[in-house]
Amino acid sequence: MTAALALGDDALVLSHRLGEWAGHAPVLEEEVALANIALDLLGQARVLLSLAGDEDELAYLREERAFRNLQLVEQPNGDFAHTIARQLYFSVYQQLLYGELATGDGPFAPLAAKAVKEVAYHRDHAEQWTLRLGDGTRTGHERMQRACDALWRFTGEMFQPVEGLDVDWPVLEARWLEYAGDVLGRATLTVPQGPRTGAWAAGAGRQGLHTEPFGRMLAEMQHLHRSHPGASW
Amino acid sequence: MATAAAQRTARTEADGARTDTAAYQSAFDAAVAADERIEPRDWMPDAYRATLVRQIAQHAHSEIIGMQPEANWITRAPSLRRKAILMAKVQDEAGHGLYLYSAAETLGTGRDELLGKLHSGRQKYSSIFNYPTLTWADVGAIGWLVDGAAITNQVPLCRCSYGPYARAMVRICKEESFHQRQGYELLLALSRGTPEQHAMAQDAVDRWWWPSLMMFGPPDDESQHSAQSMEWKIKRHSNDELRQRFVDICVPQAASLGLTLPDPDLRWNEERGHHDFGAIDWTEFWEVLKGNGPCNEQRITQRRRAHDEGAWVREAAAAYAAKHTGNTGSTGSTGSTDETGATRA
């Protein structure tokens, strides 16, 4: 179940990152919104990981090199602009991908049909904030542009084919570029120029090659579970 | 018997005319006596309004600050199910804060103003949130004891004389009851788990029991606002009465959890039909209230930092709204239009 792990890990890791915002959001409504999105993603992760095995064993007992998530979702939260840019890039991808999977008859169709509704909301939320930050104040514009630029190199990995997903990846990528480009344009932001994958040619996260912050994130996430082998919670 | 409707009529008739405070006051008194709801547009005594603003704001602040001790464990929750439950709970608390600020706003103070008072220390929040969450079991102890005490306190507020507050409490209590059951269930899983898990649960209950009893406020003879609040039917029961009710509820629950409560003087009193319990350390209570608890500084610093670091976000949203809809937006810009972009640590 390579695909279940890939999609499940994406949702699990991004949910965890969003969970780090609790109590730190810029405005009370965003405490609610970010937690809400984190919960949706965690729900998706639980369904997907359960397709691949035991959800808790997979989440808590695998090591860094066994995780299959995109490098994009493990990126640290940074400021609110970085969190929104990461969410925009990923939500547009998820909405397109789940939209495709929902119309097929593969094993992910039922999950995708449910998740695509949640994801549309996540995408809308990220899009609205991209517009507000990009086209509000000069500070907001600069910060949002910086965030979009910084995360751009992680967007290519989303379109590396995933074993077990019957999707026309180049078409998906073209649609993603068009949609993301349109949002950035409306937000008066410049579409970043530069490579869309890192120095590793491989779809690194999908192959278990991650970035430095990820190991620390896992250490925190798994510590308690690993301290009590075999215990139930 | 004057009704709220009659009261409103009296107000409308007097609109623009000479204010007859005595007539208003007696209409207000009659409405409270008849257990009717006072609504935002009704006349009310200034002191009633001030008391409500203070209490509702403190309640809202408690929800917001109260997110911190629990959010402290979101990233370390030991199973995905528990993580989802905890995330949902912290999200609910943010929602409760929103309800309560809205209720406070019906009395004529804005959310920004109230947050300003929280950040500057002029308004308080429940002292329970100045204790640290040291282990995972603390999440369960907070659910069972802290939310349990909150419910004991808040269920009577569903019949509070001020309508918007009473209605907010109905919604909040439903969710709080759910949180409390989740906390109890979390502790039950630990208590019946490995010896280490059981010890973790017992340790958490030992540390949270007395602070939870302090949540009901000082003893009746030292409570400043109690008498007046009860007269106005904002409060329905005294601090000590609610505290006793809470102890009586917790004793059998602790027994079914297989955990003990850290009070050697705790025993059933047949004559009173209640449990007797030991003396509360009021010195600790007043110290924590004064700002000398374990986490006072940490909690308020984090709250201020979130607010300050988020200023540019709120300003961007307000500017965007002004640009695109011709209004000034509603995300509560702080009025500072700092364009330097410097991150304020």
Side-chain angles (χ1 to χ4, degrees), chain B residues 187-217:
Chain B
L187 284 179
L188 193 63
L190 293 177
S191 179
R192 293 176 175 175
T194 65
E196 291 80 10
Q197 286 177 306
H198 182 92
M200 193 194 282
Q202 184 61 60
D203 167 67
V205 169
D206 289 349
R207 281 181 292 107
W208 287 93
W209 172 248
W210 292 106
S212 300
L213 292 191
M214 296 175 197
M215 284 176 70
F216 295 92

Side-chain angles (χ1 to χ4, degrees), chain B residues 77-230:
Chain B
S79 77
L80 297 187
R81 175 173 171 263
R82 292 288 175 198
K83 191 173 187 166
I85 290 169
L86 185 55
M87 272 182 179
K89 182 180 181 188
V90 173
Q91 183 193 8
D92 283 349
E93 280 155 4
H96 296 173
L98 283 169
Y99 292 162
L100 288 160
Y101 285 120
S102 297
E105 285 183 331
T106 64
L107 292 158
T109 41
R111 195 212 299 186
D112 285 351
E113 188 187 336
L114 297 174
L115 280 172
K117 285 181 175 164
L118 168 67
H119 296 155
S120 62
R122 277 173 299 153
Q123 282 182 338
K124 295 199 177 335
Y125 55 87
S126 175
S127 64
I128 192 77
F129 301 120
N130 292 315
Y131 289 86
T133 45
L134 302 178
T135 73
W136 171 250
D138 289 32
V139 172
I142 287 178
W144 177 43
L145 295 173
V146 174
D147 292 354
I151 292 164
T152 308
N153 248 328
Q154 290 167 13
V155 165
L157 288 172
C158 296
R159 295 183 295 123
C160 158
S161 59
Y162 188 60
Y165 191 28
R167 290 188 290 273
M169 289 324 309
V170 172
R171 299 173 67 174
I172 290 172
C173 283
K174 281 181 188 160
E175 290 178 347
E176 291 285 0
S177 306
F178 192 66
H179 298 166
Q180 201 229 356
R181 285 202 299 277
Q182 298 281 15
Y184 181 87
E185 192 247 352
L186 189 161
L187 284 179
L188 193 63
L190 293 177
S191 179
R192 293 176 175 175
T194 65
E196 291 80 10
Q197 286 177 306
H198 182 92
M200 193 194 282
Q202 184 61 60
D203 167 67
V205 169
D206 289 349
R207 281 181 292 107
W208 287 93
W209 172 248
W210 292 106
S212 300
L213 292 191
M214 296 175 197
M215 284 176 70
F216 295 92
D220 290 349
D221 50 21
E222 287 178 62
S223 181
Q224 282 178 319
H225 309 284
S226 271
Q228 179 64 81
S229 285
M230 284 169 78

Side-chain angles (χ1 to χ4, degrees), chain B residues 34 44-45 50 102 145 169 259 263 298 314:
Chain B
M44 61 190 83
S102 297
L145 295 173
M169 289 324 309
L259 298 170
D263 179 359
Q298 178 189 327
R314 298 189 301 274

Side-chain angles (χ1 to χ4, degrees), chain A residues 12 15-16 18-20 22-29 31-33 35-36 38-39 42 45-46 49 55-56 59-60 79-81 128-129 131-133 135-144 146 186 217 220-225 228-233, chain B residues 64 67-68 71 73-85 87-88 90-91 94-95 97-98 101 111 136 186 189-190 193-194 196-197 200 302-303 306-307 309-317 319-320 323-324 330-331 338-344:
Chain A
L12 176 72
S15 167
H16 184 96
L18 291 171
E20 293 172 351
H24 298 274
V27 63
L28 200 42
E29 285 79 357
E31 295 284 3
V32 178
N36 203 313
L39 263 176
L42 185 52
R46 295 181 67 192
L49 294 180
E55 62 176 50
D56 283 344
Y60 291 97
D79 68 359
F80 191 67
Q128 294 308 316
W129 273 110
L131 296 176
R132 289 185 197 115
L133 299 181
D135 191 21
T137 58
R138 202 181 67 224
T139 301
H141 180 89
E142 284 167 5
R143 283 178 177 248
M144 195 63 207
R146 252 202 311 274
R186 283 187 287 128
M217 193 203 98
E220 185 174 341
M221 184 173 102
Q222 296 181 338
H223 159 261
L224 180 59
H225 186 99
H228 297 264
S232 47
W233 301 94
Chain B
I64 302 310
M67 292 168 70
Q68 290 183 34
W73 281 92
I74 285 178
T75 54
R76 292 177 288 170
S79 77
L80 297 187
R81 175 173 171 263
R82 292 288 175 198
K83 191 173 187 166
I85 290 169
M87 272 182 179
V90 173
Q91 183 193 8
L98 283 169
Y101 285 120
R111 195 212 299 186
W136 171 250
L186 189 161
L190 293 177
T194 65
E196 291 80 10
Q197 286 177 306
M200 193 194 282
Q302 180 178 322
R303 179 87 267 295
H307 189 77
E309 289 182 355
W312 71 271
V313 175
R314 298 189 301 274
E315 284 154 17
Y320 178 83
K323 242 186 242 189
H324 292 273
S330 58
T331 52
D338 170 46
E339 280 288 288
T340 60
T343 306
R344 280 163 286 179

Side-chain angles (χ1 to χ4, degrees), chain A:
Chain A
M1 287 303 275
T2 319
L5 279 186
L7 301 182
D9 287 351
D10 283 350
L12 176 72
V13 170
L14 185 55
S15 167
H16 184 96
R17 283 297 187 209
L18 291 171
E20 293 172 351
W21 269 104
H24 298 274
V27 63
L28 200 42
E29 285 79 357
E30 282 307 296
E31 295 284 3
V32 178
L34 295 171
N36 203 313
I37 295 167
L39 263 176
D40 286 346
L41 290 167
L42 185 52
Q44 291 171 20
R46 295 181 67 192
V47 172
L48 287 157
L49 294 180
S50 298
L51 290 173
D54 179 274
E55 62 176 50
D56 283 344
E57 276 180 31
L58 288 168
Y60 291 97
L61 299 175
R62 274 183 300 158
E63 299 199 350
E64 190 179 335
R65 295 282 282 103
F67 273 82
R68 294 285 172 261
N69 55 284
L70 298 163
Q71 288 184 354
L72 174 68
V73 297
E74 75 201 33
Q75 294 312 301
N77 289 333
D79 68 359
F80 191 67
H82 278 76
T83 290
I84 291 299
R86 185 184 63 196
Q87 199 64 45
L88 177 75
Y89 289 168
F90 183 70
S91 298
V92 173
Y93 162 77
Q94 261 201 322
Q95 194 175 357
L96 292 169
L97 178 60
Y98 282 157
E100 282 298 307
L101 296 175
T103 59
D105 54 2
F108 300 108
L111 166 96
K114 179 176 177 288
V116 81
K117 297 181 191 125
E118 296 170 349
V119 170
Y121 160 79
H122 305 169
R123 194 264 312 140
D124 183 58
H125 170 264
E127 191 174 318
Q128 294 308 316
W129 273 110
T130 303
L131 296 176
R132 289 185 197 115
L133 299 181
D135 191 21
T137 58
R138 202 181 67 224
T139 301
H141 180 89
E142 284 167 5
R143 283 178 177 248
M144 195 63 207
Q145 187 67 59
R146 252 202 311 274
C148 290
D149 292 350
L151 293 168
W152 189 246
R153 60 187 291 237
F154 298 107
T155 58
E157 196 194 342
M158 297 190 284
F159 306 98
Q160 310 260 351
V162 176
E163 192 190 322
L165 293 185
D166 182 23
V167 176
D168 187 338
W169 297 97
V171 166
L172 202 70
E173 181 162 29
R175 288 167 63 201
W176 185 90
L177 282 165
E178 187 186 0
Y179 195 96
D182 175 65
V183 175
L184 296 185
R186 283 187 287 128
T188 72
L189 296 161
T190 309
V191 176
Q193 298 301 307
R196 293 188 40 246
T197 51
W200 289 334
R206 290 279 185 250
Q207 296 178 26
L209 290 165
H210 293 279
T211 55
E212 283 188 349
F214 185 58
R216 191 165 284 104
M217 193 203 98
L218 280 191
E220 185 174 341
M221 184 173 102
Q222 296 181 338
H223 159 261
L224 180 59
H225 186 99
R226 286 177 178 269
S227 301
H228 297 264
S232 47
W233 301 94

Side-chain angles (χ1 to χ4, degrees), chain B residues 255-278:
Chain B
S256 49
L257 277 172
L259 298 170
T260 57
L261 296 170
D263 179 359
D265 299 325
L266 185 64
R267 65 180 56 84
W268 177 250
N269 181 325
E270 191 63 50
E271 211 171 307
R272 291 200 310 125
H274 288 293
H275 292 85
D276 291 337
F277 55 98

